[in-house]
């Protein structure tokens, strides 16, 4: 038999062991004692006189408590609640960021995986820090990301209201129940006294904590202060004997909170609850079966379980998700403006790409591949695969994720339509009256552009950048560019050859990039003294106003000719237009002097 030091116990599985070895056991020598490794299965140890057994399946108490705690869980950690109901409960003191989106996504996936409901609840009890419009913006971003809640402030539901500021009566009733049962008390300590306690603790090198002074007030003293109108809060009495709980991610845990903290405030002087009471009351009343939240709340869970026990309620199953960190291991900061979902949306990021990258860098899935869409995430989601390791997010890879998902969207007829609509709006916004040919706004034309550029662009916004302006507006030529054209002896002959190339093609004939590439090489051989490279430069400049190739994989000439060829054939030679705008062809040939092209 082995005796462990009288510290507080956190259980965990062998596979999730953080090895800090001391003799034959792994444990932390602070407020936690983490038993992670035993010499052999079935070993018996004592902690504070309480027998503990260890085996390959779990570490548990060798008493009836082990049966009582573990019997509610099945093989994958489901609780015997019936319907799965999960919630995402952000505070509208700011806008939705990547960390919040990831927490919401895991809750959504859990609900959809097991046929449950995903609830959005706004924890707006910190009235001094509320940001106007944040609550609505958070729900907007969840809907944009493709993870809409089943119940929310906007959608309603059978467990509303979903704003905590509209549920104050529930918290007040719960607090009164705690006070009447002797589980909580009214505290009249002034802010000045609390600040003095804090300073004294810091000066002596101790962790600040309330000294529970008002816990010992006699009923007559309490009534006297209430009669005098002394401001007060309600504090919950922390009792020793916190029970261990099984976390879906971190395994068995127990934190003897009463030995390291003072009694916490559950109702503030303004009548609003603190997080500890509000989330317990709301999760119970809304029938939440599983609480999936960030690992920063793991240390508070024992406190919440004490509240559940004091109120006589059955707690949900808890699962604490590892943190989402920067690539270098530093913490994602809300002060980083680029971590807010709205900034990604405005920057042209696709919601599918964001969801893919924040899951790809973490755990909880049966595979880890790029390009997963929502149906893939749901089918491959496996809570048992979530590890305790923090997820390191490399946002430099987002363009590649976006490129892959943008190609998938363009290939999907249902998703291509909205992309065309977005691009139409951007073209009008960026170029406005510069757009002289309204045909460039036709859905068919824009869809053809998207089809030719898929796999080569990472964002729709790239298509309205200056290097792609020739797709939408007539290019302008500088004196330098005109001089370049003048320097090509056969420029007029090249223009005539391109016009004939397009005229000779049958109406409706497919203008693929590959076929155009072959024909342009044949065309170049018909010139007298101009090299193929110079032929391509000449056509490129005449079509787009660009002197350098800027497109990947295929020459811009091949793409431009493929896109614009149909327009020329449909309009005919008399329309003074060729290759969608009249940059070259009959119009150029007839007006060569006015366009300053070489004679």
């Amino acid at each position: 038999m082995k005796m462990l030091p009288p510290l507080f116990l956190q259980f965990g599985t062998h596979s999730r062991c953080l090895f800090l070895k001391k003799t034959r056991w792994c444990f932390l020598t602070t407020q936690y004692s983490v038993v992670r490794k035993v010499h052999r299965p079935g070993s018996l140890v004592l902690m504070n006189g309480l027998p503990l057994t260890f085996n390959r399946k779990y570490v548990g108490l060798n008493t009836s408590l082990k049966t009582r705690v573990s019997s509610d869980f099945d093989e994958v950690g489901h609780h015997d609640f019936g319907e799965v109901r999960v919630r995402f409960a952000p505070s509208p003191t700011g806008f939705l960021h990547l960390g919040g989106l990831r927490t919401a996504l895991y809750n959504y996936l859990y609900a959809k995986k097991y046929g449950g409901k995903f609830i959005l609840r706004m924890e707006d009890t910190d009235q001094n820090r509320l940001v106007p419009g944040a609550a609505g913006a958070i729900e907007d971003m969840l809907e944009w990301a493709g993870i809409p809640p089943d119940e929310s402030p906007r959608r309603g539901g059978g467990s509303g209201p979903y704003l905590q500021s509209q549920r104050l009566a529930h918290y007040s009733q719960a607090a009164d129940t705690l006070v009447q049962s002797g589980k909580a008390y009214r505290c009249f300590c002034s802010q000045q006294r609390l600040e003095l306690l804090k300073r004294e603790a810091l000066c002596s090198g101790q962790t600040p904590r309330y000294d529970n002074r008002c816990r010992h007030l006699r009923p007559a003293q309490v009534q006297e202060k209430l009669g005098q109108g002394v401001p007060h809060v309600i504090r919950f009495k922390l009792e020793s004997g916190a029970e261990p709980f099984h976390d879906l991610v971190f395994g068995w845990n127990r934190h003897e909170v009463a030995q390291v903290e003072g009694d916490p405030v559950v109702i503030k002087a303004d009548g609003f609850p603190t997080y500890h009471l509000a989330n317990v009351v709301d999760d119970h009343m809304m029938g939440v079966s599983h609480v999936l939240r960030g690992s920063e709340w793991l240390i508070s869970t024992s406190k919440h379980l004490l509240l559940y026990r004091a109120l006589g309620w059955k707690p949900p199953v808890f699962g604490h998700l590892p943190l989402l960190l920067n690539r270098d291991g530093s913490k994602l900061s809300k002060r980083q403006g680029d971590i807010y979902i709205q900034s990604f949306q405005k920057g042209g990021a696709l919601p599918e790409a964001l969801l893919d990258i924040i899951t790809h860098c973490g755990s909880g899935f049966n595979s880890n591949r790029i390009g997963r869409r929502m149906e893939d995430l749901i089918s491959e989601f496996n809570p048992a695969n979530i590890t305790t390791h923090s997820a390191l997010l490399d946002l430099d890879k987002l363009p590649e994720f976006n490129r892959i998902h943008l190609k998938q969207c363009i290939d999907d007829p249902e998703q291509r339509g909205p992309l065309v609509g977005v691009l139409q709006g951007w073209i009008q916004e960026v170029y406005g009256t510069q757009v002289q040919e309204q045909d460039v706004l036709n859905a068919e034309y824009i869809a053809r552009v998207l089809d030719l550029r898929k796999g080569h662009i990472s964002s729709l916004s790239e298509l309205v950048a200056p290097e792609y302006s020739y797709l939408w507006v007539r290019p302008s030529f500088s004196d330098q560019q005109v001089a370049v054209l003048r320097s090509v002896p056969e420029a007029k002959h090249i223009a005539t050859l391109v016009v004939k190339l397009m005229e000779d093609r049958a109406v409706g004939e497919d203008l693929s990039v590959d076929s155009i590439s072959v024909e342009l090489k044949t065309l170049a051989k018909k010139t007298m003294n101009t090299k193929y490279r110079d032929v391509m430069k000449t056509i490129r400049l005449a079509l787009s106003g660009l002197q350098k190739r800027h497109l990947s994989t295929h020459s811009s000439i091949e793409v431009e000719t493929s896109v614009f060829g149909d327009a020329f054939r449909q309009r005919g030679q008399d329309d003074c237009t060729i290759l969608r705008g009249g940059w070259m062809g009959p119009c150029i040939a007839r007006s060569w002097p006015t366009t300053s092209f070489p004679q």
Side-chain angles (χ1 to χ4, degrees), residues 376-429:
D376 303 317
L377 293 175
I378 294 174
S379 64
E380 296 181 16
F381 181 64
N382 186 348
N385 288 343
I386 302 176
T387 70
T388 60
H389 304 295
S390 296
L392 301 182
L393 177 65
D394 186 358
L395 285 175
D396 290 340
K397 295 180 180 179
L398 181 57
E400 175 62 12
F401 279 79
N402 219 56
R403 182 188 68 81
I404 292 172
H405 283 277
L406 182 56
K407 182 179 184 300
Q408 291 179 349
C409 290
I410 294 172
D411 286 334
D412 186 336
E414 292 185 3
Q415 292 186 300
R416 186 190 307 133
L419 293 179
V420 169
V422 170
L423 193 51
Q424 283 174 327
W426 284 356
I427 295 167
Q428 293 173 309
E429 180 181 343

Side-chain angles (χ1 to χ4, degrees), residues 529-571:
N529 300 309
T530 308
K531 295 180 179 179
Y532 173 75
R533 179 183 61 184
D534 294 326
V535 170
M536 295 298 102
K537 286 183 178 180
T538 302
I539 300 176
R540 179 183 297 115
L541 178 56
L543 281 172
S544 65
L546 300 174
Q547 291 182 247
K548 294 182 179 180
R549 175 178 173 178
H550 68 282
L551 301 180
S552 61
T553 306
H554 298 295
S555 166
S556 61
I557 302 307
E558 297 151 3
V559 174
E560 291 149 11
T561 308
S562 179
V563 173
F564 304 149
D566 285 337
F568 165 69
R569 286 201 302 262
Q570 292 169 4
R571 294 178 178 185

Side-chain angles (χ1 to χ4, degrees), residues 468-582:
Y468 280 105
S469 62
Y470 66 87
L471 293 170
W472 323 115
V473 299
R474 293 173 179 266
S476 58
F477 297 91
S478 66
D479 292 341
Q480 180 184 4
Q481 291 171 320
V482 172
V484 171
L485 284 174
R486 286 181 180 277
S487 68
V488 181
E490 296 183 275
K492 184 175 181 179
H493 180 48
I494 293 170
T496 302
L497 290 174
V498 173
V499 172
K500 189 174 187 307
L501 170 64
M502 302 311 302
E503 288 176 337
D504 290 345
R505 299 185 70 88
V507 175
E509 183 180 350
D510 179 41
L511 287 175
S512 68
V513 172
D514 291 337
S515 64
I516 289 294
S517 176
V518 172
E519 296 194 31
L520 286 176
K521 289 178 181 178
T522 302
L523 178 150
K525 294 178 181 179
K526 297 179 181 180
T527 61
M528 299 294 293
N529 300 309
T530 308
K531 295 180 179 179
Y532 173 75
R533 179 183 61 184
D534 294 326
V535 170
M536 295 298 102
K537 286 183 178 180
T538 302
I539 300 176
R540 179 183 297 115
L541 178 56
L543 281 172
S544 65
L546 300 174
Q547 291 182 247
K548 294 182 179 180
R549 175 178 173 178
H550 68 282
L551 301 180
S552 61
T553 306
H554 298 295
S555 166
S556 61
I557 302 307
E558 297 151 3
V559 174
E560 291 149 11
T561 308
S562 179
V563 173
F564 304 149
D566 285 337
F568 165 69
R569 286 201 302 262
Q570 292 169 4
R571 294 178 178 185
Q573 190 170 357
D574 294 336
D575 194 11
C576 195
T577 55
I578 182 73
L579 306 184
R580 201 253 331 141

